Amino acid sequence: MKVIIVGGVAGGATAAARLRRLDETAEIVVFERSGYVSYANCGLPYYIGGVITDKEELTLQTPESFWQRFRVDMRVRHEVTAIHPAEKTVDVRNLATGETFTESYDKLVLSPGARPTQPALPGVGIDRLFTLRTVEDTLKIREFIEQHHPRSAVLAGGGFIGVELMENLRELGIDVTVVQRPRQLLNPLDADMAAFLHAKLRQKGVRLHLGCTVEGFAANGDRVNVLLKNEAPLTADMVVLAIGVTPDTGLAKAAGLELGIKGSILVNDRMETSAPDIYAVGDAVQVKHFVTGQDTLLSLAGPANKQGRIAADNICGGDSRYPGSQGSSVIKVFDMTIATTGVNEKTAKQAGIDCDKVYLSPMSHAGYYPGGKVMTLKVVFEKGTYRLLGAQIVGYEGVDKRIDVLATAIHAGLSALQLKDLDLAYAPPYSSAKDPVNMAGFMIENLSHGLVEQFFPEDVDALPRDGSVTLLDVRTPGEYADGHAEGFVNLPVDDLRERLREVPVGKPVYVICQSGLRSYIACRILAQQGFKCYNLSGGWRLYETVVR
Amino acid sequence: MKVIIVGGVAGGATAAARLRRLDETAEIVVFERSGYVSYANCGLPYYIGGVITDKEELTLQTPESFWQRFRVDMRVRHEVTAIHPAEKTVDVRNLATGETFTESYDKLVLSPGARPTQPALPGVGIDRLFTLRTVEDTLKIREFIEQHHPRSAVLAGGGFIGVELMENLRELGIDVTVVQRPRQLLNPLDADMAAFLHAKLRQKGVRLHLGCTVEGFAANGDRVNVLLKNEAPLTADMVVLAIGVTPDTGLAKAAGLELGIKGSILVNDRMETSAPDIYAVGDAVQVKHFVTGQDTLLSLAGPANKQGRIAADNICGGDSRYPGSQGSSVIKVFDMTIATTGVNEKTAKQAGIDCDKVYLSPMSHAGYYPGGKVMTLKVVFEKGTYRLLGAQIVGYEGVDKRIDVLATAIHAGLSALQLKDLDLAYAPPYSSAKDPVNMAGFMIENLSHGLVEQFFPEDVDALPRDGSVTLLDVRTPGEYADGHAEGFVNLPVDDLRERLREVPVGKPVYVICQSGLRSYIACRILAQQGFKCYNLSGGWRLYETVVR
Ligand SMILES: Cc1cc2nc3c(=O)[nH]c(=O)nc-3n(C[C@H](O)[C@H](O)[C@H](O)COP(=O)(O)OP(=O)(O)OC[C@H]3O[C@@H](n4cnc5c(N)ncnc54)[C@H](O)[C@@H]3O)c2cc1C
Ligand SMILES: Cc1cc2nc3c(=O)[nH]c(=O)nc-3n(C[C@H](O)[C@H](O)[C@H](O)COP(=O)(O)OP(=O)(O)OC[C@H]3O[C@@H](n4cnc5c(N)ncnc54)[C@H](O)[C@@H]3O)c2cc1C
Ligand SMILES: CC(C)(COP(=O)(O)OP(=O)(O)OC[C@H]1O[C@@H](n2cnc3c(N)ncnc32)[C@H](O)[C@@H]1OP(=O)(O)O)[C@@H](O)C(=O)NCCC(=O)NCCS
Ligand SMILES: CC(C)(COP(=O)(O)OP(=O)(O)OC[C@H]1O[C@@H](n2cnc3c(N)ncnc32)[C@H](O)[C@@H]1OP(=O)(O)O)[C@@H](O)C(=O)NCCC(=O)NCCS
């Protein structure tokens, strides 16, 4: 059997290694357009920032080591230029020599990945305008920085790659401005959760131009002008374009393979394309979203690796199935960690799912043990069924842990009500006896039993201030004095029972505290006295960050 | 409704708080024998070690704050001395005044916890012999240390509390010797995993007397002699007895409640005891093991908190059920983290479960990103069904995360084969594209497909050295020279295909590498050439730690 693989990185290299482990006799040839195989795409921004110091660290294998260990013929600087499914051949160009040739295959695996999206804007392609995908791109940016010592950079785009680059450029002392068309960074977050990120970035001196559209670029001597819609242009010493990625599927399209969203390759759960004996994996393929069941694109290394292994299994006569992607992801942003799994609220709503949510702000570990930090956790679930839809966490230590627990719960089909039962490991340096994930479960159970009703930050400003409803802030007078929502009256929770007469009978009560916990207790006191009351989900902490 | 609660800490205080949230009108009285409520048992060792500096940090609530927030009448230094289920009363002694009185209840919650086990040995009770359970015990030890500056300590017992104390005493510069009857510390670990802990402790200068029985204690001037079976006595400036805990259920027994293992209180999954309107929770109760279904005792704060909340729910007319305990636990030992969930191999075997296991030693996060550390992960599963039984991890960063993911998988009933599919969040500072938990899943799948067969460290020394089998070490010559198992011949994996003629045909081959990964690849090469071969699970790394 002769297997040809297009692309020698996450999906392709994994498929090659697995193929060899399954079949000693197969002939395995990998064509890789760039000069490197098995490179750590995800590490590239950190090489630019100098966190990863050694270039060798960026490649997990070389063509030589791959040959030694796996007898895989890894041909770098070889571009596959056409696929002929009927003939079962591919055309290849050796980019070093210009030579072209044709190779036959019994099985073909496409793992060509995705390219940085290049909008059709004036000035795309000029000097000092960079994109980041390959080792070569990385070396180019790093050399530029070393030679030209740019003092300012504009990042067009604020997705994962943009934000990682931003951090690394900032850590080099470069003045960074991010321009982003949506009004928030990191699209997998809901806007409310992204607000915590925006606050951190501003604190770190990053300039944010949100809701702002780039209309083009122009060289300006040694600098670049970034032209904006309805705004004065920005000028910087360098620009990076990171507005997203597009499946690199020109080949597949030309070969007549069935395509999906944004030209991605259609595959079934065995990673088979529409053409016999052609498999495709990684960023180039359309996947089924594990939560919504909808078709989607997700550019993540975990799925690419898993899919590469599955394709290899099936090529060797196995029956491995990809269950769909949940989009679990995590990113470090300075000292912050941000992570998501499943769908966010806006996506759930777009998918027509009737959803509800809780926000909480637990400590990463027991408050009495030094070093704990507050995280903000949002869990989204389906109304009525309590099906877990997704979670987002912004914080520091322990964020990655809770997202992986929630990802596992979603994968296993646990309901949001079962989160309270999870038997998680507790000692003071690691967690609390009621882990944040358990706590989310308690809160959701309380909603399900009607013990409390919620209102949300976006509702606060619209509440009537005409005396028809009561607006209570149950924090301490000191906290209240430090800042409170207009129209809310201070009545500390611990005084509520004694001062109950001050709460007008017969009017709904909206209760605020710092995190939502004390106001929940206040709501319980009030509800049992016959008041109709609502707890501000996420508390003043969330309101202040999101609305102000 | 009048509710009396015995014990005002993890289970009791949580029940009280939840009761009040559910019922504003209930009269809630908590009797607590010690001088403190809501104290952080789990933080006590860290106060002794000076990690937690402020005594106030040890109590999450005081009787005053509990009254203010919850209108719960918390009576410290009050011991309940008898329960009269027929009369629905309890007898109480005010330990401050000596006064005794009787209180009636409608509902009674027992959360008396567990006492340090006090063996009937000569010398138990002498000065300078301490146990650790309450804030008072903690202050006593700390005062002793501050006044007497002990230079040496013997710890009798090496469970969680013993090991935490040991670390904290060691960090104070005290010479610590641990005496432990079993041949290992931390019983939830299998002996092989405990070996990593032992190595770390020896490196930190802790003296270990394993497999050694304490026969008594004797004052020796300002010091204490610890008498040992078949060994010379040890002498130290202080001794702590931490050989385990026993349910503190004298009360329950005297009241005629049905009891279980070690005198623990029998409860159903609603936390109801055998007597009407009496509930019991926490360390004092027998629970069903979530994995084995067997009755067991587990002294952990998470379950105590959850059970307290469940008892409160049911008292208020709800129907909350405790699904059983998995024994998930984690402990910091110097810079190391050790965690377990479910059952270990020895317990599974005792429970008559036919089990198998994998060992792996993945990095905590991507190898190319600075700071990653190797962890050792053992996953135990049922043969044939691939039911997940338990996991143990010893390492540094990221251990607590993987144990919680595995705990969630076990709770959700995922099979070991599904671990490979988990969609976990990956970025270089947090994980690898193939997370350690996924990797365990790949390895188990390979076993299930017969792609590889394993042998284990305990088998190595017993393998024939008479030429009837081939013993191969496929690491590099350098690694081999640094240390190898007797009789194993070096043949690096990357040379194996060319030097295949050196492997005698027709004999089984036992293959070793450092972690098990390269030897797995070697096994795949050999198996496809018709060799019957076995991969050393866990590799030289595990063998060296366990057997040597
Ligand atoms: C800067 C950066 C940071 C990232 N960070 C993370 C992260 O933290 N976490 C995460 O989960 N994911 C991250 N990703 C995404 C992750 O790297 C991808 O999801 C993953 O690499 C996709 O694997 P793939 O095999 O589909 O494509 P790739 O790994 O991109 O490999 C595709 C390869 O195919 C080659 N190729 C394309 N067409 C041809 C052709 N016609 N002939 C020959 N060769 C061809 C390309 O040169 C490329 O090297 C990051 C990506 C980048 C660029
Ligand atoms: C040093 C130490 C470290 C620990 N570390 C961890 C850890 O890291 N992780 C973890 O999960 N668990 C840990 N634990 C265990 C955890 O603290 C217990 O599982 C948990 O506290 C049990 O809760 P409980 O309510 O059953 O008992 P407790 O919290 O012990 O409370 C019982 C209370 O009842 C009182 N009482 C008993 N009898 C009477 C009576 N007759 N009248 C009045 N009062 C009475 C006692 O004085 C005691 O204060 C640790 C325990 C200790 C001692
Ligand atoms: C380097 C690369 C080729 C490695 O591929 P690989 O050999 O499949 O992966 P690993 O080295 O992690 O080894 C995994 C294999 O070892 C096995 N294994 C791991 N530890 C083991 C152990 N202790 N004992 C036995 N087997 C073990 C696993 O089961 C798996 O084998 P399988 O797929 O046959 O089941 C590929 O991952 C790669 O190119 N990565 C870089 C590109 C990339 O992923 N970029 C995006 C992220 S930055
Ligand atoms: C201090 C103590 C009394 C607190 O008990 P508690 O009030 O039940 O617990 P918490 O303060 O964590 O609050 C949890 C409650 O707030 C709710 N909550 C938490 N965050 C919330 C938020 N942001 N919005 C709304 N509700 C929230 C939870 O749902 C839960 O309420 P519920 O049980 O009615 O569902 C008790 O935990 C205790 O005594 N602990 C110390 C002893 C101990 O546990 N020792 C062993 C470990 S060291």
Side-chain angles (χ1 to χ4, degrees):
Chain A
M1 175 170 67
K2 179 170 172 189
V3 184
I4 287 185
I5 300 176
V6 182
V9 194
T14 298
R18 174 73 174 168
L19 274 168
R20 176 56 74 223
R21 286 190 290 267
L22 295 178
D23 186 349
E24 269 296 295
T25 62
E27 183 185 351
I28 307 171
V29 184
V30 179
F31 294 112
E32 167 54 51
R33 183 168 56 202
S34 80
Y36 302 85
V37 296
S38 284
Y39 56 84
N41 328 48
C42 321
L44 302 178
Y46 299 97
Y47 182 73
I48 292 172
V51 177
I52 298 175
T53 49
D54 189 352
K55 197 186 120 183
E56 315 290 295
E57 290 285 337
L58 291 179
T59 44
L60 281 71
Q61 296 275 351
T62 61
E64 295 70 38
S65 68
F66 229 106
W67 176 257
Q68 280 185 342
R69 171 111 349 136
F70 294 112
R71 293 295 186 275
V72 167
D73 183 7
M74 282 273 186
R75 307 216 208 146
V76 294
R77 309 221 53 218
H78 279 71
E79 179 170 18
V80 173
T81 55
I83 307 169
H84 306 292
E87 293 84 40
K88 295 182 101 173
T89 61
V90 296
D91 296 343
V92 186
R93 169 174 291 122
N94 177 334
L95 299 177
T97 64
E99 177 204 359
T100 60
F101 56 94
T102 297
E103 285 277 346
S104 67
Y105 64 80
D106 297 308
K107 306 280 178 181
L108 177 65
V109 180
L110 304 177
S111 191
R115 290 176 187 272
T117 305
Q118 300 262 11
L121 291 178
V124 166
I126 59 171
D127 262 13
R128 293 174 173 259
L129 177 67
F130 302 92
T131 56
L132 179 61
R133 176 189 188 186
T134 60
V135 176
E136 284 87 347
D137 297 339
T138 310
L139 300 179
K140 210 167 122 190
I141 296 176
R142 177 139 163 178
E143 271 161 28
F144 174 83
I145 292 173
E146 281 169 358
Q147 283 170 19
H148 298 275
H149 304 288
R151 291 170 52 190
S152 60
V154 167
L155 256 163
F160 282 107
I161 296 174
V163 170
E164 284 179 351
L165 252 173
M166 177 208 64
E167 172 186 334
N168 278 286
L169 294 177
R170 192 78 198 99
E171 296 281 22
L172 290 174
I174 297 171
D175 225 36
V176 182
T177 304
V178 183
V179 184
Q180 161 91 332
R181 184 155 48 187
R183 298 207 61 83
Q184 65 161 93
L185 303 179
L186 295 187
N187 195 42
L189 294 177
D190 284 316
D192 44 19
M193 298 297 283
F196 290 91
L197 168 62
H198 302 162
K200 163 66 71 177
L201 294 182
R202 291 194 178 106
Q203 177 211 321
K204 287 282 178 183
V206 175
R207 263 180 277 271
L208 301 181
H209 281 246
L210 304 177
C212 172
T213 306
V214 174
E215 300 211 307
F217 307 93
N220 173 359
D222 265 1
R223 312 193 72 198
V224 186
N225 287 346
V226 180
L227 314 173
L228 305 178
K229 189 165 168 183
N230 304 329
E231 277 186 55
L234 298 167
T235 305
D237 297 334
M238 65 183 288
V239 177
V240 188
L241 193 58
I243 56 168
V245 297
T246 309
D248 195 347
T249 53
L251 262 187
K253 187 178 176 191
L257 299 192
E258 274 182 44
L259 303 182
I261 306 169
K262 273 199 195 177
S264 58
I265 305 173
L266 280 193
V267 289
N268 61 16
D269 63 355
R270 289 170 43 91
M271 310 315 296
E272 294 165 336
T273 68
S274 59
D277 299 319
I278 305 184
Y279 295 74
V281 303
D283 288 0
V285 307
Q286 176 175 297
V287 292
K288 208 164 277 307
H289 198 288
F290 191 86
V291 172
T292 61
Q294 292 183 337
D295 295 329
T296 190
L297 293 185
L298 285 165
S299 307
L300 292 164
N305 272 271
K306 291 189 179 86
Q307 292 165 5
R309 189 172 179 278
I310 289 170
D313 283 355
N314 291 328
I315 287 172
C316 295
D319 186 19
S320 285
R321 308 270 174 169
Y322 187 67
S325 288
Q326 245 168 264
S328 305
S329 63
V330 59
I331 184 172
K332 174 176 119 50
V333 190
F334 299 103
D335 54 349
M336 217 176 213
T337 297
I338 299 181
T340 70
T341 186
V343 290
N344 59 25
E345 187 184 351
K346 69 188 165 212
T347 311
K349 286 186 170 157
Q350 277 159 13
I353 304 175
D354 188 18
C355 62
D356 201 354
K357 57 189 171 177
V358 293
Y359 298 88
L360 59 164
S361 34
M363 296 287 283
S364 54
H365 65 240
Y368 56 80
Y369 189 89
K373 297 252 190 141
V374 172
M375 65 179 77
T376 308
L377 168 51
K378 174 176 183 175
V379 179
V380 182
F381 54 94
E382 191 171 37
K383 272 196 188 138
T385 67
Y386 296 94
R387 181 161 75 97
L388 275 171
L389 299 173
Q392 300 158 60
I393 317 182
V394 180
Y396 300 84
E397 172 201 292
V399 165
D400 58 324
K401 172 160 77 175
R402 275 58 180 225
I403 215 69
D404 275 359
V405 167
L406 286 156
T408 304
I410 291 177
H411 191 89
L414 289 187
S415 105
L417 299 173
Q418 289 176 286
L419 296 179
K420 69 180 196 308
D421 296 327
L422 290 178
D423 193 339
L424 302 170
Y426 161 62
Y430 304 98
S431 184
S432 295
K434 302 171 176 113
D435 186 86
V437 177
N438 295 138
M439 198 67 100
F442 294 145
M443 291 168 61
I444 296 169
E445 189 192 47
N446 292 338
L447 293 176
S448 81
H449 288 174
L451 287 180
V452 64
E453 291 182 72
Q454 306 188 109
F455 69 113
F456 297 101
E458 57 268 30
D459 306 326
V460 172
D461 294 348
L463 290 174
R465 262 71 178 179
D466 60 0
S468 61
V469 303
T470 305
L471 306 178
L472 277 192
D473 186 324
V474 298
R475 296 176 299 164
T476 62
E479 290 174 283
Y480 181 81
D482 280 350
H484 59 261
E486 190 234 309
F488 278 73
V489 174
N490 190 215
L491 204 177
V493 63
D494 290 346
D495 300 345
L496 183 57
R497 291 185 185 87
E498 271 141 25
R499 293 172 53 188
L500 208 59
R501 275 160 299 136
E502 297 175 30
V503 186
V505 175
K507 293 179 186 173
V509 191
Y510 291 84
V511 193
I512 285 187
C513 75
Q514 187 65 16
S515 73
L517 199 169
R518 283 173 287 171
S519 48
Y520 158 56
I521 295 175
C523 281
R524 290 301 307 147
I525 295 172
L526 291 165
Q528 295 183 62
Q529 300 294 341
F531 288 93
K532 177 87 188 156
C533 51
Y534 301 91
N535 182 28
L536 179 65
S537 187
W540 169 256
R541 219 181 140 263
L542 182 68
Y543 172 77
E544 190 188 23
T545 308
V546 172
V547 175
R548 308 216 317 173
Chain B
M1 176 170 66
K2 178 168 171 190
V3 184
I4 287 186
I5 301 177
V6 183
V9 195
T14 299
R18 174 73 173 168
L19 275 167
R20 175 57 74 225
R21 286 190 290 267
L22 294 179
D23 186 349
E24 269 294 295
T25 62
E27 182 185 351
I28 307 171
V29 184
V30 179
F31 294 112
E32 167 55 49
R33 183 168 54 203
S34 80
Y36 302 85
V37 296
S38 285
Y39 56 84
N41 329 50
C42 320
L44 302 179
Y46 299 97
Y47 182 73
I48 292 172
V51 176
I52 297 174
T53 49
D54 189 353
K55 197 186 119 184
E56 313 292 295
E57 291 284 337
L58 290 179
T59 44
L60 281 73
Q61 296 274 351
T62 60
E64 295 70 36
S65 68
F66 229 106
W67 177 257
Q68 280 185 343
R69 171 113 347 137
F70 294 113
R71 293 293 187 277
V72 166
D73 183 7
M74 282 273 185
R75 306 215 208 146
V76 294
R77 309 219 55 218
H78 278 71
E79 179 169 18
V80 173
T81 54
I83 307 170
H84 306 292
E87 292 83 39
K88 295 183 104 173
T89 60
V90 296
D91 297 343
V92 187
R93 169 175 293 122
N94 178 334
L95 299 177
T97 63
E99 177 204 358
T100 61
F101 57 95
T102 298
E103 285 277 345
S104 67
Y105 64 79
D106 297 308
K107 306 279 178 180
L108 177 66
V109 180
L110 304 177
S111 191
R115 292 178 184 271
T117 304
Q118 300 262 13
L121 291 178
V124 165
I126 60 171
D127 260 12
R128 294 174 173 257
L129 177 65
F130 302 92
T131 56
L132 180 60
R133 177 190 189 185
T134 60
V135 176
E136 285 87 347
D137 297 338
T138 310
L139 299 180
K140 207 167 124 190
I141 297 177
R142 178 138 161 179
E143 271 160 29
F144 173 84
I145 292 172
E146 280 169 359
Q147 284 172 18
H148 297 276
H149 304 290
R151 293 170 52 191
S152 61
V154 168
L155 256 162
F160 282 107
I161 296 175
V163 170
E164 284 180 352
L165 252 173
M166 177 208 64
E167 172 186 337
N168 279 286
L169 295 177
R170 192 79 198 99
E171 296 282 21
L172 291 175
I174 297 172
D175 225 36
V176 183
T177 305
V178 183
V179 183
Q180 160 92 333
R181 184 153 51 185
R183 298 206 61 82
Q184 66 161 89
L185 304 179
L186 295 188
N187 196 42
L189 295 177
D190 284 316
D192 45 18
M193 298 298 282
F196 289 92
L197 168 62
H198 301 163
K200 163 66 70 177
L201 294 183
R202 291 194 177 106
Q203 177 211 320
K204 287 283 178 182
V206 175
R207 263 182 276 272
L208 300 181
H209 282 246
L210 303 177
C212 173
T213 306
V214 175
E215 299 211 309
F217 307 92
N220 173 358
D222 265 2
R223 314 193 71 199
V224 185
N225 286 347
V226 180
L227 313 174
L228 305 178
K229 189 166 168 183
N230 305 329
E231 276 185 57
L234 298 166
T235 304
D237 297 333
M238 65 183 288
V239 176
V240 187
L241 194 58
I243 56 168
V245 297
T246 309
D248 195 347
T249 54
L251 262 188
K253 187 177 176 194
L257 299 191
E258 275 182 44
L259 303 181
I261 306 170
K262 274 200 196 177
S264 59
I265 305 173
L266 282 194
V267 289
N268 62 15
D269 63 355
R270 289 170 43 91
M271 311 315 298
E272 293 164 336
T273 68
S274 59
D277 298 317
I278 304 184
Y279 295 74
V281 302
D283 287 1
V285 306
Q286 177 174 298
V287 292
K288 208 166 273 314
H289 198 289
F290 191 85
V291 172
T292 61
Q294 293 182 337
D295 294 329
T296 191
L297 293 186
L298 285 164
S299 306
L300 292 164
N305 273 271
K306 291 188 179 85
Q307 293 165 6
R309 190 172 179 278
I310 289 170
D313 284 354
N314 292 327
I315 286 173
C316 295
D319 185 19
S320 286
R321 307 270 174 168
Y322 187 67
S325 288
Q326 244 171 264
S328 305
S329 63
V330 60
I331 184 172
K332 174 174 120 52
V333 190
F334 299 104
D335 54 348
M336 217 177 213
T337 297
I338 300 180
T340 70
T341 186
V343 289
N344 59 25
E345 187 185 351
K346 68 188 166 212
T347 311
K349 286 186 170 156
Q350 277 160 13
I353 304 175
D354 188 19
C355 62
D356 201 355
K357 57 188 173 180
V358 293
Y359 298 88
L360 59 164
S361 35
M363 296 287 283
S364 54
H365 65 241
Y368 56 79
Y369 188 89
K373 296 251 190 140
V374 172
M375 66 180 76
T376 308
L377 168 51
K378 175 176 183 176
V379 179
V380 182
F381 54 93
E382 190 171 38
K383 271 194 187 143
T385 67
Y386 296 94
R387 181 161 74 98
L388 275 171
L389 300 173
Q392 300 157 60
I393 317 182
V394 179
Y396 300 85
E397 172 202 291
V399 165
D400 58 325
K401 171 161 77 175
R402 276 55 181 227
I403 215 68
D404 275 358
V405 167
L406 286 156
T408 304
I410 291 177
H411 191 89
L414 289 185
S415 104
L417 299 173
Q418 288 176 287
L419 296 179
K420 68 181 196 309
D421 296 326
L422 290 179
D423 194 339
L424 302 170
Y426 161 61
Y430 304 99
S431 184
S432 295
K434 303 172 176 112
D435 186 86
V437 177
N438 295 138
M439 198 67 100
F442 294 146
M443 291 167 61
I444 296 170
E445 188 191 50
N446 291 339
L447 293 176
S448 81
H449 288 173
L451 287 180
V452 65
E453 290 181 74
Q454 305 188 110
F455 70 114
F456 297 100
E458 58 269 29
D459 306 325
V460 172
D461 294 347
L463 290 174
R465 262 72 177 178
D466 60 0
S468 61
V469 303
T470 305
L471 306 177
L472 277 191
D473 186 322
V474 299
R475 295 175 300 163
T476 62
E479 291 174 284
Y480 180 80
D482 281 349
H484 58 263
E486 191 234 307
F488 277 73
V489 174
N490 190 217
L491 204 178
V493 62
D494 290 346
D495 300 345
L496 183 57
R497 291 184 186 86
E498 272 140 24
R499 292 172 53 187
L500 208 58
R501 276 160 299 135
E502 297 174 30
V503 186
V505 175
K507 293 181 187 172
V509 191
Y510 291 83
V511 193
I512 285 186
C513 76
Q514 187 66 17
S515 73
L517 199 168
R518 282 173 289 171
S519 48
Y520 158 57
I521 296 176
C523 281
R524 291 300 307 147
I525 296 172
L526 291 166
Q528 294 183 63
Q529 300 294 340
F531 289 92
K532 177 87 186 155
C533 50
Y534 301 90
N535 183 27
L536 179 65
S537 188
W540 169 257
R541 222 183 136 263
L542 181 68
Y543 172 77
E544 192 189 21
T545 307
V546 173
V547 175
R548 306 216 319 171

